[in-house]
Every structure is written in C-alpha cells, then in structure tokens.
Amino acid sequence: MKFDILLAGVGGQGILSIASIVANGAMHKGLFVKQSEVHGMSQRGGAVVANLRMADQPIHSDLIPAHEADMILSLELLESLRYLEFLKPSGILLTSSARVVNVPNYPPEDDLRRRVDQVPHHCLVDADALAKQAGNHLASNMVMVGAASHWLPLGLEEMEGEMAAAFSRKGEKVVQTNLKAFALGREAASWTPA
Amino acid sequence: MAARSSLTSTRKRRVARFHRKNLPKVQLVGKPSGMEAQGLFKTVAVQSVKKSVSAGQVLLGDEAVALGAVHAGVTASYAYPGTPSTEILEFLIRHYKREGGPKASWCANEKTAYEEALGVSMMGRRALVAMKHVGLNVAADPFMNSAIVSIHGGLVVVVADDPGMHSSQNEQDSRYLADFARVPCLEPANQQEAYDMTRQAFELSERFQVPVVVRLVTRLAHSRAVVRPQAPDEVGLLEKPVERNSWILLPAFARKQWRALLDRQPEIRRFAEESSFNRFYTGPENSGPRLGVLTTGVARNYYLENLPDLEFQPTHLHIGAYPAPAAKIQQLMESVEEVLVLEEGYPFLENQIRGLLPPHLPIHGKLTGALPLDGELNPDLVRKALGLPERPAVDLGDRPEVARPPQLCQGCPHSVAYAAIQEALASYPMPLVASDIGCYTLGALPPYSAIESCVCMGASIGMAKGAADAGLHPALAVIGDSTFLHSGVTPLMDAVAEDADITVLILDNETVAMTGSQPTILPSQGLRDLVQGLGVDPEHFHWLEAHPKQKGELTELLKREIAHRGLSVIVTGRECLEKAKLRKRAEKAAQQAQQGRQEV
Ligand SMILES: Cc1ncc(C[n+]2csc(CCOP(=O)(O)OP(=O)(O)O)c2C)c(N)n1
Ligand code: SF4
C-alpha cells in the first residue's frame, strides 16, 4: 500500500495543517510517513507545495516522483493546475474552488474550471461556503480533509479522532465547528466515483 | 608544547549535579546507561522507554539534529536564523524555555554565534552552532581558525545548504568548506541519520579535536519522518584546556597546531574508511551489468526510489562521512566498468574521483551532463540518469502559465517606505537604491520595483557608498533592522568616517520577518542608540513611523536628506503584521493560562 498526496495552495492558506492531521492519522495507524514542506521565502503569498507520502513499507524519497501522486489536494483553483505532471493517470485532482487573486494576470474563473474538468478524475468543492455553513470561514481546510477522506487510506473515526486531538486545545466549540466542516466536505465529495 | 594531547579516548565525562536541570526530559529509547545507570535519571527513563520504543517522534530534519544535540549532552547552542536551518535553534530554544536547559540563543550573526560556541568548547563542554550555507561565509574566519586550535568540548557546525535556491541567493556546497578546513563532514540522508550523525559528530569532534560539520540540505531539513532516539549522553565537566598554547594562534604556536592537524589527517581518513555511514548497499561481489552507483546524502533516497524499476542491481556504495573513503571507492571502481555519481549540490565527490587526468573508466554525473549542474535533485532526474523510461502518464490538457511569486503582505510597513522612495526619487534621472536581504527584498518586484541590488547581508550600505564614491548621486541604501544589526553596522562606520554622500533607510519592523519572526537582537531603541552612538550627525538622523498616514512626511524627509550631500540615516518603524499576529496569539494564550490558574 502506498498513497502519495501533493498539497498545493498559496502561502498563508495553511496547507500544513491538512498535512499534519493526515500524517498523524497515518502514523497512528502504523504506516510509514514522510512529509516535505516549504518554509521561508516562498511562503509570503506565493505558490506553495508540500509532499505527503504514506506507505506500509519504508519510503525513500521525500519528494513524489512525476506521475506518481494518488491525489493533488489544492486549496486554490489556479494552484490546483500547477503540478498536474505529478498526478498518476488514475489519480484524483481534488480542489477548493476558492481563488486568491493576487497577481495581475490571474486567469478567468471559467477558464480554470474548464481545465479542471479536463482531468479525468477530479472534484471541485466550494470549501469556503461550506466552512461558513459549518460556522467559521477558517475551517475550509477541514472541509477539504473531509472531501479527501473518501480516498485516504484512513478510517472515518481515525480522521475524526485526529481532528478532535488537533483542535482540542482551542476548546470544544472549535472542535465541533471543524468536525462539522469535515462532515460537509465529505458529503460534498460523496458523489464523485472513487 | 602546543601540539594536540593524546587522542586515545573520548574525554571522560561525568555528570555535574548542578547540571541536572539541563538534562533532556524528552522521550528516550534504549537501555538506561550513564546517568540512568547512576540512578539520576531513573524516573524519566522508565516512563519514557515504554512510551516511545514503538512510536518514536515525528521530526523535521532540523529538529532531529536539535534533539541529537540535546541527547549528546550539548551545553549551549547558537545561531542566526536562515532558511533552511532556522528550525534547529527554534527547537532548541523551545526546549530551553520549557526545560531550563541546555542553553540556546539567537545571535547577531553567524560569526558571533560561532565564536560563542567556540568559547563553550574551550571550557570543555559541548556546543552546537547552526547556520544556512551562506552563513558559513560570514563565520568563515572563526571556522577556519578553530580547525587549528585543539577543540576541547565537542563543537558541531550544522550547515544547511539550499540546492535549488528555495530561499537563498546561491547554492554553494558546504562540503568544500569542510574539506578546505580539513575537518570531517557528516551528511545525513534521512531524519534518523540527522539525529545519529549529530550525536556522533560531537564524539568525533572530541576524538580528533576539530570542529565537525554536519551538512544538511533543504529537502531533509524541511521534511518530517519518525526518529527513534537513543539514551542520552552525559554532560561534560567544566574544565579549561590543559595545553594553554593550543588555543593561542601566534605564528609559533599556530605552526605547530597546523602541523598537528595535518598529522591527524590519516586518522580522520581511517575513521571515514571504517565508518558505517560509508557502506556498500550492494557489494562489489555483485554480479550483473557492471554499473557502479555512488550516492551521497539524500541522493541515496532518489536512487532507492527508482531501484525497483531497474532490471539489474548496480553495485552501490553510499557515502555519508567525509573525507571520502578512498579505499572503498577504489574497491567499487575495480569491480565495475562504469560509474554513476549521484550527489546533491556541486559535483564535489565526482570532481575528487575524476581528479585532473582522464579517468580509466567512464564516470557519469553532473560534469558529463547525466545530471544538471544546477538546481535540486529529484527522483525524476535520477531516474533519467539511470536510463529508466518516464513513468506512464496521460495527457491532462494544457494549463495556465501564471507564476505566483511571493509578495509583501497587504499593509506591510515596508510598502510605505517603498512608496515614499519612489516618489522622492521621481525627479532624479539616475538614482541608485541598493538594498539587502529580508522581506523587504520583495520590494524589487512589481508593483514597487523600488530596489536594485540584493547581494549579501549588509552589502547595501557599502555598495551605496561605493556608488557615491564612483560619482553617483543620489545613492540610497535600504536595509532591514536585523540585517543592519547582522552586518550593516560596520559599513555604516565607514560611511560615518567619511561623511559619505548617501542616505541610509533602516526598515525597523521589530523582528526578523523573512525567516518566521524571530526576535531582533536589539530592541528598536537599542538600534537607534547604536546608530547615534556611531556618530551620525543628529541633524541628519531621523525616526518616523512607517504608517500609510506618514507617507507624505517620509517622502518630504527623504527629499531633504537626499539633497543633503553627506550621510543621512532614517529609521522607519512599525511592527511587522505577522509578528503582531504571533504576539497577540501568545498574549491571548498566556492570558487564558493565567485565567485557568485563577479558576483552579
Ligand atoms: C549570511 C546570511 N545569514 C542569514 C540569511 C537569511 N536571512 C536573510 S534575510 C534575513 C533577516 C531579515 O530580517 P530583517 O533585516 O529584519 O528584514 P525583514 O525580513 O524583517 O523585513 C535572514 C535571517 C542570509 N541570507 N545570509
Ligand atoms: S511578514 Fe511582516 S515584514 Fe514580511 S511582508 Fe509580511 S508584514 Fe511585511
């Protein structure tokens, strides 16, 4: 068993909070995990990417090879398309429809949606709206974890346990909001054939 | 006699009782030994062995180094921040605050950090100094010379290289500097090795009485995996060096010390030859097509990633400890018909093996174009070098070619300064705005396009003076507070000495923002007092808040000071937004903790 996720987003969106929840879940399940991150210069509002690899055997490379990722998980529409060469033919492109328009030549939204549609396995989630529905617009990351949960090699309860552990420091209300966000994200992606 | 004393064994270590609070209380694995055996550390060991034998800890490569240092009984650690090395001291400082020891602190720059570590070592205790690759240029003077003294307590120099320049001005390879100083260098390939090698580096440093370099690269420094720690070492006794002259590099003594370092080389080479970090993964007796693969550091990961797809097993020698083990390499070369060298960074090993004259068998690597000379390695580049076909792919359509470079945060105080500079300089046909390294370097990009140079820490002030000396007016230097304190003070002294015709703008955002908001070494008031203390004319020294409301006033001030044909210094101050966010979060947490205590 091996599951490689390439996480994409814009600096400041918090792709690492997703990575850490999934990685902890995998670890507690006894899987090998490697997680490669970006720190420093590239974080300031620029394109950021992280590699998360899970397997039942030792993992060598910190980086996912080209055409090997089981999933691209993106928090931003334009960024979801930046690393397509890493996706394997059967892999899924899972992206939030949120847009961070901080460059003058940001492409039209329709154009981006059309290109996402061209990817054989894809799933677009309106994470911001669902996060608001869950009670906090900052919970869109957990909406995306919920959406991803259909494909991840982790059980539902394991995932929820990790989230509760990650947010418990911030109080019960925050835990509940994030669990709700997770559930909404999971539901939104449930129609997608796995 | 100044020569090194006998190296027969690692110095005897005893636990100083008063040092107990410095001892690591983190999870430990393995049989109790040392302190635990003496009963000093029993409770922790018993609890933690249970907890972590199976689990280990998930650590960044940087954090694995830090934990290795704690478990090696380090007494103090020092650094100036720099990506990708910053998280080493961040870990150690958190540990220090939580546990009360070992000491860990940020320093003004890499040279001061190095020298403080050297002082710890001189007193017989273990010290770590960490930096990014270019930091070793700044610390090159103490580094080169500390190779010649007789290192006492283990001194480990962790240098994080940045191939691919994720966050740096160049991709220099620190293995050359270790070789230049004739000291051993260990190069981990994964987080576990980062931990193990750091621990061994302390031991080697004491055994050979030299500083030992641990070379990291970005990909390891910033990648997480499980690390299984071992039982910790004891903390050394406080003691001065026995041989007084071995630390006094007067020519007469230095010559002896240098000779002693040269005489020590065969021993160091023997260590590398026998080190388990340098080993055959598939032995020279291997049958199959006669390809030899030499890997170093993280290149091994990319090789092993592709190995299952190869239809044969090359003979594989991995090198993690330098000086490169010549006998093992020779053994490899004699058993194969071709060699491929895979290494992250410059073709350091490839160059050494190749030598000056044509090799007797084909050697492929970065020098032959099998791999690129620049940039970072990855599994795909290594795959190609091994002659493997690309992995199967489908056409996923074209995609937009829209770059998204990093940029200043919305409302960043630096943007006020850049807007004012643009306006103040609008009427001049040929101004120069020399600048430096930090968040403010992003002012080089649109919409500001306000600065014209970024070379090395502190260069802006000297370069502006040089431009003025060359005849240019106006010449501005724009420099961040931390960069100024790191390397801007000395060039400002030059400018003061000649009343140079330049205008220096110090952007004081009260933090080292670029690397994640570490504290600056002096608070704002200290910085201003320092500038005044250097003798800058008070009439041409100003402080202004970097608030959008002040933009007009800053513009006018800049115009006036640019017109003044002598040295002017303007400090613009306002807290970085990211730092403010972190500060408020910390304050809130402290408040909540306080309330919690009251309720209890
Ligand atoms: C010799 C050296 N050490 C460290 C660094 C990494 N580095 C670059 S800029 C910087 C600090 C910048 O802080 P400051 O001048 O306060 O500017 P800010 O980022 O806060 O705007 C650091 C640590 C480097 N490039 N070179
Ligand atoms: S982190 Fe601070 S200094 Fe850097 S761009 Fe943001 S506000 Fe400006």
Side-chain angles (χ1 to χ4, degrees):
Chain A
M1 194 291 292
K2 174 182 86 69
F3 199 87
D4 290 339
I5 310 180
L6 193 132
L7 294 131
V10 176
Q13 279 192 312
I15 59 174
L16 294 185
S17 64
I18 297 187
S20 103
I21 283 179
V22 177
N24 279 332
M27 211 117 48
H28 291 146
K29 201 175 165 172
L31 297 177
F32 290 90
V33 175
K34 275 206 169 189
Q35 181 190 327
S36 178
E37 310 171 356
V38 176
H39 299 213
M41 184 84 170
S42 25
Q43 280 180 309
R44 300 262 164 281
V48 288
V49 60
N51 289 244
L52 177 58
R53 315 194 72 191
M54 302 169 265
D56 56 9
Q57 284 177 30
I59 302 160
H60 298 295
S61 170
D62 299 274
L63 293 172
I64 302 169
H67 318 302
E68 278 278 292
D70 298 274
M71 174 184 282
I72 289 177
L73 177 50
S74 174
L75 294 179
E76 206 272 352
L77 195 53
L78 171 60
E79 294 311 313
S80 75
L81 297 164
R82 197 179 294 284
Y83 312 97
L84 278 185
E85 73 271 21
F86 286 95
L87 198 61
K88 64 157 80 149
S90 60
I92 172 125
L93 174 66
L94 175 59
T95 181
S96 162
S97 58
R99 292 174 308 133
V100 178
V101 184
N102 64 356
V103 283
N105 52 342
Y106 195 96
E109 181 173 4
D110 288 350
D111 182 29
L112 295 176
R113 284 180 177 262
R114 194 168 37 74
R115 289 176 204 248
V116 169
D117 278 344
Q118 285 170 10
V119 178
H121 309 280
H122 67 270
C123 176
L124 250 163
V125 178
D126 191 349
D128 284 358
L130 294 176
K132 266 190 215 123
Q133 195 183 326
N136 188 341
H137 67 284
L138 294 176
S140 58
N141 288 358
M142 293 309 122
V143 172
M144 294 311 293
V145 177
S149 65
H150 294 288
W151 293 272
L152 297 177
L154 302 171
L156 196 55
E157 277 172 26
E158 288 163 334
M159 301 282 327
E160 289 175 341
E162 288 306 333
M163 293 183 48
F167 293 105
S168 64
R169 241 175 356 111
K170 299 186 174 167
E172 186 52 28
K173 191 160 160 247
V174 177
V175 172
Q176 287 311 323
T177 307
N178 281 285
L179 285 175
K180 178 136 186 247
F182 177 91
L184 288 172
R186 185 169 168 86
E187 193 189 318
S190 58
W191 54 268
T192 312
Chain B
M1 196 198 80
R4 283 138 204 273
S5 52
S6 132
L7 295 172
T8 44
S9 66
T10 311
R11 282 176 328 102
K12 216 173 146 197
R13 304 192 144 263
R14 269 191 286 143
V15 187
R17 264 192 171 269
F18 62 87
H19 233 83
R20 268 176 72 186
K21 68 169 188 176
N22 283 2
L23 296 175
K25 296 195 184 79
V26 279
Q27 301 172 342
L28 313 168
V29 179
K31 269 207 312 251
S33 68
M35 285 165 300
E36 296 97 309
Q38 294 174 34
L40 288 176
F41 209 44
K42 223 180 226 155
T43 41
V44 175
V46 171
Q47 285 169 356
S48 53
V49 167
K50 270 193 214 138
K51 238 196 266 172
S52 62
V53 166
S54 56
Q57 301 183 39
V58 186
L59 298 174
L60 286 174
D62 275 350
E63 296 171 339
V65 165
L67 186 64
V70 171
H71 288 179
V74 75
T75 288
S77 306
Y78 306 94
Y80 178 75
T83 318
S85 68
T86 310
E87 292 77 8
I88 300 172
L89 256 279
E90 287 194 327
F91 182 99
L92 288 165
I93 288 171
R94 275 199 306 275
H95 186 273
Y96 179 35
K97 285 188 179 156
R98 200 174 58 234
E99 309 286 328
K103 184 181 166 67
S105 42
W106 295 120
C107 303
N109 65 34
E110 293 84 356
K111 181 175 186 289
T112 66
Y114 198 105
E115 288 153 352
E116 288 163 46
L118 195 56
V120 175
S121 162
M122 188 182 186
M123 291 307 112
R125 292 204 153 145
R126 292 184 165 183
L128 175 137
V129 55
M131 60 199 72
K132 70 183 291 170
H133 56 342
V134 286
L136 192 52
N137 301 339
V138 176
D141 202 6
F143 173 62
M144 291 302 295
N145 292 308
S146 67
I148 300 189
V149 302
S150 297
I151 287 300
H152 193 191
L155 175 60
V156 173
V157 186
V158 187
V159 190
D161 291 356
D162 190 15
M165 297 185 229
H166 295 275
S167 283
S168 307
Q169 338 68 302
N170 77 24
E171 48 182 29
Q172 66 186 61
D173 187 326
S174 301
R175 293 176 298 172
Y176 284 88
L177 282 116
D179 186 61
F180 189 29
R182 295 179 191 262
V183 301
C185 172
L186 303 180
E187 189 183 13
N190 56 38
Q191 294 75 358
Q192 184 67 47
E193 283 187 2
Y195 173 87
D196 294 338
M197 284 182 172
T198 303
R199 293 195 61 168
Q200 182 168 86
F202 282 101
E203 194 258 309
L204 293 174
S205 172
E206 284 161 9
R207 192 189 325 163
F208 299 123
Q209 295 183 296
V210 290
V212 173
V213 173
V214 173
R215 182 212 186 206
L216 301 178
V217 293
T218 306
R219 202 46 71 183
L220 174 57
H222 287 168
S223 177
R224 283 174 209 278
V226 173
V227 173
R228 292 180 202 288
Q230 304 291 318
D233 288 340
E234 301 158 1
V235 175
L237 277 183
L238 190 66
E239 60 185 12
K240 289 177 80 171
V242 184
E243 300 287 347
R244 192 162 175 270
N245 295 348
S246 69
W247 283 75
I248 304 174
L249 295 181
L250 275 170
F253 304 145
R255 276 181 215 117
K256 284 187 187 151
Q257 289 292 122
W258 172 226
R259 189 64 250 169
L261 176 61
L262 295 173
D263 290 344
R264 182 112 330 113
Q265 294 301 309
E267 246 179 290
I268 295 177
R269 280 199 293 273
R270 204 173 318 126
F271 144 75
E273 209 61 75
E274 290 162 6
S275 169
S276 59
F277 294 130
N278 297 332
R279 70 178 177 97
F280 281 98
Y281 274 60
T282 25
E285 68 291 343
N286 177 43
S287 62
R290 323 245 318 156
L291 174 69
V293 174
L294 258 169
T295 59
T296 77
V298 298
R300 185 182 78 203
N301 303 339
Y302 304 137
Y303 170 66
L304 294 178
E305 182 80 25
N306 284 297
L307 187 57
D309 293 348
L310 271 183
E311 280 163 5
F312 62 98
Q313 282 266 348
T315 300
H316 174 202
L317 173 61
H318 177 74
I319 291 173
Y322 305 85
K328 276 187 178 148
I329 294 171
Q330 190 171 7
Q331 214 184 339
L332 175 89
M333 304 276 279
E334 281 168 0
S335 66
V336 298
E337 283 161 2
E338 257 180 290
V339 176
L340 174 65
V341 187
L342 302 172
E343 56 191 323
E344 185 71 290
Y346 287 15
F348 171 76
L349 185 68
E350 188 182 342
N351 251 322
Q352 285 193 331
I353 297 172
R354 217 175 261 284
L356 209 50
L357 305 176
H360 72 277
L361 78 178
I363 298 173
H364 309 284
K366 296 194 169 198
L367 293 171
T368 58
L371 290 151
L373 268 171
D374 57 342
E376 189 185 17
L377 284 186
N378 63 43
D380 305 309
L381 289 170
V382 169
R383 187 175 180 86
K384 200 163 150 227
L386 286 166
L388 286 167
E390 269 199 41
R391 290 183 170 81
V394 284
D395 183 12
L396 299 173
D398 59 344
R399 61 191 113 141
E401 302 267 324
V402 179
R404 195 192 302 259
Q407 43 192 271
L408 293 177
C409 302
Q410 280 286 325
C412 169
H414 295 331
S415 59
V416 178
Y418 285 132
I421 290 173
Q422 276 176 322
E423 262 183 65
L425 291 177
S427 61
Y428 289 95
M430 200 172 88
L432 173 75
V433 185
S435 192
D436 240 296
I437 315 181
C439 273
Y440 54 95
T441 314
L442 297 172
L445 308 177
Y448 306 102
S449 306
I451 61 166
E452 298 165 82
S453 74
C454 159
V455 180
C456 65
M457 296 287 280
S460 59
I461 298 178
M463 285 177 66
K465 178 175 179 291
D469 290 348
L472 188 89
H473 177 85
L476 272 69
V478 177
I479 186 167
D481 50 349
S482 178
T483 310
F484 174 71
L485 294 168
H486 177 290
S487 285
V489 182
T490 40
L492 186 59
M493 271 189 252
D494 288 354
V496 168
E498 292 180 22
D499 193 20
D501 181 15
I502 63 173
T503 302
V504 178
L505 214 74
I506 303 177
L507 308 181
D508 178 10
N509 58 358
E510 302 171 27
T511 190
V512 193
M514 174 93 270
T515 43
S517 233
Q518 294 76 27
T520 35
I521 202 76
L522 286 184
S524 298
Q525 188 58 49
L527 185 151
R528 281 182 256 163
D529 292 347
L530 173 68
V531 173
Q532 280 201 295
L534 290 177
V536 175
D537 181 351
E539 291 212 0
H540 298 285
F541 175 65
H542 309 272
W543 181 88
L544 217 78
E545 196 191 358
H547 195 279
K549 279 193 293 203
Q550 303 279 50
K551 199 195 89 185
E553 195 176 327
L554 181 58
T555 309
E556 289 314 306
L557 181 65
L558 273 168
K559 282 185 183 163
R560 274 201 309 281
E561 291 304 339
I562 288 167
H564 165 66
R565 304 300 299 255
L567 175 65
S568 313
V569 179
I570 301 171
V571 181
T572 61
R574 199 170 119 230
E575 190 180 29
C576 152
L577 305 176
E578 279 295 313
K579 188 207 159 198
K581 226 190 278 174
L582 293 172
R583 179 174 52 75
K584 284 176 194 151
R585 207 179 292 163
E587 284 167 2
K588 198 171 151 198
Q591 214 176 10
Q592 279 169 350
Q594 178 80 19
Q595 275 168 359
R597 265 199 298 278
Q598 279 166 359
E599 279 159 26
V600 171

